Amino acid sequence: MVSTTTPIGEFNRPAIDFKLPDTEGRPWTLEDCRGPRGLLVMFICNHCPYVQAILPKIVRDTAELKTLGIHAVAIMSNDIADYPEDSPEHMRRLAREYDFGFPYLYDETQEVARAYGAVCTPDFFGYNADLKLQFRGRLDASGRQDQPDAPRELFHAMQLIAETGVGPSEQTPSIGCSIKWRSP
């Protein structure tokens, strides 16, 4: 496992459109996913210990953000030939187990992850109502071990975006497992 840290975000960069299937095969686009006050795009996977440590918090925070008009979407872009535990079948099981309140999409070609510049799982991109990037940071300080009392950095950043359209000036990069790219 290789740990990777996200780069600083290109703030105000527009969200990249996509059309990807969810765990039931239904296609979703950027427009389908957006909320009236913004969108949180999350690159996650099933097997990453960084993601596993914070999944309950992701579910909690995305549910609360939805009430503020910020919707969320999770995208899985890993190479399932080398990481079969990230396959759509396993994605479906994970989404049901945690009762995801957001679509969990499969980026089979990895083109969407490349377009966004995603580098790790979890990798969070927070957009305002105009779908301009305002946040590229971590959920909180948990890392591979959940820290139950860690300040809710992502939630508060997205709450600020919902209220003002602008993210916080200080953001801490996310850290996680590198995206598992296909061999050329």
Side-chain angles (χ1 to χ4, degrees):
M1 172 181 53
V2 176
S3 294
T4 303
T5 303
T6 58
I8 294 181
E10 295 178 48
F11 297 107
N12 289 314
R13 179 180 178 205
I16 309 294
D17 200 7
F18 54 79
K19 185 175 184 181
L20 296 171
D22 67 14
T23 59
E24 303 298 329
R26 175 190 168 201
W28 290 77
T29 65
L30 179 68
E31 191 62 32
D32 296 329
C33 295
R34 76 185 297 175
R37 292 200 170 157
L39 176 66
L40 175 62
V41 177
M42 307 174 286
F43 288 85
I44 67 170
C45 71
N46 299 353
H47 84 275
C48 174
Y50 293 92
V51 173
Q52 291 172 356
I54 61 171
L55 265 177
K57 290 180 179 181
I58 288 174
V59 170
R60 174 200 67 196
D61 288 357
T62 56
E64 289 181 33
L65 288 170
K66 196 169 192 174
T67 67
L68 301 176
I70 301 277
H71 292 188
V73 60
I75 300 172
M76 201 300 294
S77 300
N78 282 348
D79 178 6
I80 64 169
D82 288 339
Y83 294 86
E85 60 270 39
D86 290 334
S87 72
E89 175 185 320
H90 292 287
M91 290 170 60
R92 184 171 31 260
R93 189 180 73 235
L94 186 75
R96 287 179 180 161
E97 178 183 342
Y98 283 90
D99 195 23
F100 284 3
F102 48 85
Y104 190 17
L105 310 181
Y106 178 40
D107 179 19
E108 181 176 8
T109 66
Q110 300 183 318
E111 290 174 9
V112 174
R114 289 189 193 284
Y116 272 80
V119 297
C120 64
T121 56
D123 201 343
F124 300 102
F125 295 79
Y127 295 90
N128 63 17
D130 297 324
L131 294 179
K132 303 286 185 173
L133 184 66
Q134 298 297 313
F135 179 81
R136 175 108 187 253
R138 65 186 184 184
L139 182 115
D140 65 21
S142 289
R144 291 177 62 168
Q145 300 294 321
D146 180 31
Q147 294 183 20
D149 298 327
R152 298 171 68 186
E153 295 170 40
L154 177 133
F155 176 80
H156 292 300
M158 295 307 297
Q159 182 180 36
L160 180 64
I161 291 166
E163 293 168 358
T164 69
V166 179
S169 58
E170 291 188 32
Q171 301 178 14
T172 303
S174 187
I175 186 170
C177 299
S178 63
I179 291 196
K180 309 310 183 215
W181 303 107
R182 286 195 184 115
S183 300

